[in-house]
Amino acid sequence: MRFKLTPQNTSFYGQFATLATHIRDAAHLLQATVEGPPGEWESAARRLKELEHQGDEATHAILSAVNSSFITPFDRDDIYRLAARLDDCLDHIEASVEIMVLYRVGELPAAVAEQARVLTQMADLTLEAMPGLEKMHNLREFWIAVNSLENDADRNYRQMIAALFDGDRDAVDIIKFKELFDELEAAADSFETVANTVESIAAKES
Amino acid sequence: MRFKLTPQNTSFYGQFATLATHIRDAAHLLQATVEGPPGEWESAARRLKELEHQGDEATHAILSAVNSSFITPFDRDDIYRLAARLDDCLDHIEASVEIMVLYRVGELPAAVAEQARVLTQMADLTLEAMPGLEKMHNLREFWIAVNSLENDADRNYRQMIAALFDGDRDAVDIIKFKELFDELEAAADSFETVANTVESIAAKES
Amino acid sequence: MRFKLTPQNTSFYGQFATLATHIRDAAHLLQATVEGPPGEWESAARRLKELEHQGDEATHAILSAVNSSFITPFDRDDIYRLAARLDDCLDHIEASVEIMVLYRVGELPAAVAEQARVLTQMADLTLEAMPGLEKMHNLREFWIAVNSLENDADRNYRQMIAALFDGDRDAVDIIKFKELFDELEAAADSFETVANTVESIAAKES
């Protein structure tokens, strides 16, 4: 119901794409890390920390642009919310590798690489969806695809947890792996929240 | 401060009642499950998963109705928030039984049934409060009653946790029970958040 | 973009200062508690519970004032958000001492006192920043200082966690200490969220 004057400030789309690019890079690095040797976890954690900072800067740039713009391409609060939710994805990906390092997590079960692959797909879809915000195009497909991937992540998570308590694993190992599985699950949830936020924006604007 | 034209779209109240009915059913099923034999946990978990999906659909129907309505009975963002917070209640109830199954939790202490009874009362009160949204009636009583129940849940939670660390329980058992107690506590908190949301809506409209 | 009529309702600033005073008191009590003998943990937990209730009342007073005011000094939703985020700080400080008591946490590592000192500094800065809300003064300095302290807290937290898993500590002890460290970290995060909220308010109003 807001007035739409032309020319609109279109740089928001570019800023969202920048943020989503950092997320995509982080997800791919997570996948490479959990598939690679433990000796490279620490350098990956450092690189992810940098990506997290770049993500914070991209988020901050979006918020500054919102505050200094008289007209925004969609609802001001929705821009805030979407930027914050995208930033959450990056934070959870970064935190996953940090847990592996800090907790001295042992050999990863194969399901962790599976989970990382789901996150990579979610991150790729999220980056691809960003240009759609401009014309409110193909956003429903994005939402459906991410929700379907989140169901995969959820099934995978529950199998990992069940396996952890099935047998007589050491309690300290359970603590470590549960922390990692929970963080990966939080990452998958945060992509779903991004997709839901995008869908609610699309619903309002349509 | 919004214009109120007649006739208003009144279907929102019915949709909130539908969502609250699913929550009520879930809470009663949780109570029956923790009071019943472990052999029925898995079927209860499946039934709760269905209720959770029905809750998601009810929530989605509310959000779609908000987006397609020119006039809403109360503030658009408050409708969003209330629907999302009600959905949280259902999610935490479902997650509690899922934890019992996935973590192969052992014999439940009596306090778990006590906690489930508090949740059942909260869910009953929440369903009863929904018609009050239409006339903004009796909402303060609802808020007071739920807050009082949340205090009971909180006291109960703290006793369960203290008992867990008092003695020499096995660490793996502690992990499992703590997860269950935390989820039940999150369920109680989510009902309190619903009551607080309802109260803030009532305060704005009065 | 809201109209600013004079005289504005200025009591909001006083109410925020009251809430921040309770937080300041709670943080200093936390610091004294973790630096003092375990025999005083229980009485400190009771005193913090009282401060938490006073904080709830202060928060509630702010929300009531928002609802009954035609004109608010800054955006209504931002007032809600800032009050709620301040309340979170108090809740996490209170919960930290409650965990020490309920979980029968053993001798605290020195880093806990260090973490409490960071929280005390954050609480002092937050109280000092409240008058700045009236003229939107010195809020950027506040934001920078709190973010810097949060980085200290984060570094400290990661060292505490790494130390916990470095060696062969008992699993039950790990559970207890991890819970405490996580709660202290949540407290530090909540101060950062307050600072970010203040900064976003300042950005909108400038």
Side-chain angles (χ1 to χ4, degrees):
Chain A
M1 306 297 136
R2 280 156 298 106
F3 262 37
K4 295 197 178 178
L5 305 181
T6 48
Q8 283 195 28
N9 181 340
T10 57
S11 77
F12 283 102
Y13 309 112
Q15 288 176 318
F16 276 116
T18 300
L19 180 50
T21 303
H22 296 319
I23 297 170
R24 196 263 327 259
D25 291 348
H28 282 265
L29 179 52
L30 169 68
Q31 188 186 329
T33 306
V34 300
E35 289 175 352
E40 296 186 8
W41 292 1
E42 276 203 56
S43 65
R46 275 194 300 275
R47 174 74 189 113
L48 281 166
K49 206 76 192 161
E50 284 165 32
L51 281 169
E52 195 192 19
H53 287 309
Q54 290 175 277
D56 286 344
E57 278 166 29
T59 304
H60 210 259
I62 293 172
L63 303 191
S64 298
V66 171
N67 287 322
S68 62
S69 301
F70 187 63
I71 298 168
T72 55
F74 45 93
D75 184 76
R76 204 167 284 267
D77 281 341
D78 286 332
I79 293 175
Y80 262 87
R81 207 168 302 154
L82 181 57
R85 294 296 78 80
L86 283 164
D87 203 34
D88 288 344
C89 298
L90 192 40
D91 288 353
H92 288 300
I93 290 171
E94 186 275 332
S96 298
V97 175
E98 190 176 315
I99 286 167
M100 288 161 52
V101 173
L102 280 185
Y103 289 52
R104 300 162 185 263
V105 169
E107 204 190 332
L108 302 175
V112 169
E114 179 55 40
Q115 206 71 328
R117 274 190 293 273
V118 174
L119 292 174
T120 302
Q121 291 175 70
M122 287 172 141
D124 288 346
L125 288 170
T126 301
L127 176 56
E128 285 164 26
M130 291 300 108
L133 285 171
E134 187 154 8
K135 311 258 181 216
M136 294 290 154
H137 250 196
N138 298 324
L139 296 177
R140 193 159 179 91
E141 285 77 358
F142 165 61
W143 179 69
I144 291 170
V146 169
N147 272 273
S148 160
L149 285 166
E150 206 280 329
N151 285 341
D152 295 346
D154 202 49
R155 202 175 315 114
N156 201 15
Y157 170 73
R158 287 189 288 141
Q159 284 170 1
M160 291 194 295
I161 290 284
L164 203 56
F165 288 100
D166 182 16
D168 30 44
R169 254 193 189 280
D170 175 61
V172 178
D173 271 355
I174 291 181
I175 295 170
K176 293 175 176 184
F177 279 115
K178 193 176 155 339
E179 192 82 8
L180 175 59
F181 299 168
D182 284 351
E183 197 67 46
L184 291 167
E185 172 69 2
D189 280 347
S190 62
F191 279 107
E192 188 188 25
T193 304
V194 164
N196 290 344
T197 305
V198 165
E199 207 237 351
S200 84
I201 293 170
K204 278 192 214 170
E205 303 292 325
S206 67
Chain B
M1 304 299 136
R2 279 157 296 106
F3 263 36
K4 296 196 178 179
L5 305 182
T6 49
Q8 283 195 27
N9 181 340
T10 58
S11 77
F12 283 103
Y13 308 112
Q15 289 176 318
F16 276 116
T18 300
L19 180 50
T21 303
H22 295 320
I23 296 169
R24 195 265 324 262
D25 291 349
H28 282 263
L29 180 51
L30 169 68
Q31 188 185 329
T33 305
V34 300
E35 289 175 353
E40 295 187 9
W41 292 2
E42 276 204 55
S43 65
R46 275 194 300 274
R47 175 73 189 114
L48 281 165
K49 206 76 192 161
E50 284 165 32
L51 281 169
E52 197 192 17
H53 287 310
Q54 290 175 276
D56 286 344
E57 279 166 28
T59 305
H60 210 259
I62 293 172
L63 303 190
S64 299
V66 172
N67 287 323
S68 62
S69 300
F70 187 63
I71 299 169
T72 55
F74 45 94
D75 184 78
R76 205 168 283 268
D77 280 342
D78 287 333
I79 293 175
Y80 261 87
R81 207 168 303 154
L82 182 56
R85 295 295 79 81
L86 283 164
D87 203 34
D88 288 345
C89 298
L90 193 40
D91 288 354
H92 288 299
I93 291 171
E94 188 274 333
S96 298
V97 176
E98 190 176 315
I99 286 167
M100 287 161 52
V101 172
L102 280 185
Y103 289 52
R104 300 162 185 262
V105 169
E107 205 190 332
L108 302 175
V112 168
E114 179 55 40
Q115 206 71 331
R117 274 191 293 274
V118 174
L119 292 174
T120 302
Q121 291 175 70
M122 287 172 142
D124 288 346
L125 287 171
T126 302
L127 176 56
E128 285 164 26
M130 291 299 108
L133 285 172
E134 187 154 8
K135 311 257 180 216
M136 295 290 153
H137 250 197
N138 297 325
L139 295 177
R140 193 157 180 91
E141 286 78 357
F142 165 62
W143 178 69
I144 291 169
V146 169
N147 272 272
S148 160
L149 285 166
E150 207 279 330
N151 285 340
D152 294 348
D154 201 51
R155 202 175 315 115
N156 200 16
Y157 169 73
R158 287 188 289 140
Q159 285 171 1
M160 291 195 295
I161 290 284
L164 203 57
F165 288 100
D166 181 17
D168 31 43
R169 257 193 187 279
D170 174 61
V172 178
D173 271 356
I174 291 181
I175 296 171
K176 293 175 176 185
F177 280 116
K178 194 175 154 339
E179 192 82 8
L180 175 59
F181 300 167
D182 284 351
E183 196 68 46
L184 291 168
E185 172 69 1
D189 281 346
S190 63
F191 280 106
E192 190 188 24
T193 305
V194 164
N196 290 344
T197 305
V198 165
E199 208 236 351
S200 83
I201 292 170
K204 278 194 214 170
E205 302 292 324
S206 65
Chain C
M1 306 297 139
R2 281 157 297 106
F3 263 35
K4 296 196 179 179
L5 305 182
T6 48
Q8 283 194 28
N9 181 340
T10 57
S11 77
F12 284 102
Y13 309 113
Q15 289 177 317
F16 276 116
T18 299
L19 180 49
T21 303
H22 296 318
I23 297 169
R24 195 264 325 259
D25 291 349
H28 282 264
L29 180 51
L30 169 68
Q31 188 186 330
T33 306
V34 301
E35 289 175 353
E40 296 186 9
W41 292 1
E42 276 204 54
S43 65
R46 276 195 299 274
R47 176 72 189 116
L48 281 166
K49 206 76 192 161
E50 284 165 32
L51 281 169
E52 195 192 20
H53 287 308
Q54 290 175 275
D56 286 344
E57 278 166 30
T59 304
H60 209 260
I62 293 172
L63 303 191
S64 298
V66 171
N67 287 322
S68 62
S69 301
F70 187 64
I71 298 168
T72 55
F74 44 93
D75 184 77
R76 206 167 283 268
D77 281 341
D78 286 333
I79 293 175
Y80 261 87
R81 207 169 301 154
L82 181 57
R85 295 295 79 79
L86 282 164
D87 203 34
D88 288 344
C89 299
L90 194 39
D91 288 354
H92 288 301
I93 290 171
E94 187 275 332
S96 298
V97 175
E98 192 177 313
I99 286 166
M100 287 160 53
V101 172
L102 280 185
Y103 289 53
R104 300 160 186 262
V105 169
E107 206 190 332
L108 302 175
V112 169
E114 179 55 40
Q115 205 71 328
R117 274 191 293 275
V118 174
L119 292 174
T120 301
Q121 291 175 69
M122 287 173 141
D124 288 347
L125 288 171
T126 302
L127 176 56
E128 285 164 26
M130 291 299 108
L133 285 172
E134 187 154 8
K135 310 258 181 216
M136 295 289 154
H137 251 195
N138 297 325
L139 296 176
R140 193 161 178 89
E141 285 79 357
F142 165 61
W143 178 68
I144 291 169
V146 169
N147 272 273
S148 160
L149 285 166
E150 206 279 329
N151 285 341
D152 294 346
D154 201 50
R155 201 176 315 113
N156 201 15
Y157 170 73
R158 288 189 288 141
Q159 284 170 1
M160 291 194 294
I161 290 284
L164 203 56
F165 288 100
D166 182 17
D168 30 42
R169 257 195 188 277
D170 175 61
V172 178
D173 271 356
I174 291 181
I175 297 171
K176 294 176 176 186
F177 279 116
K178 193 176 155 338
E179 191 82 9
L180 176 59
F181 299 167
D182 284 351
E183 196 68 46
L184 292 167
E185 172 70 1
D189 281 346
S190 62
F191 279 107
E192 189 188 24
T193 305
V194 164
N196 289 344
T197 305
V198 165
E199 208 237 351
S200 83
I201 292 170
K204 278 192 213 169
E205 303 292 325
S206 65

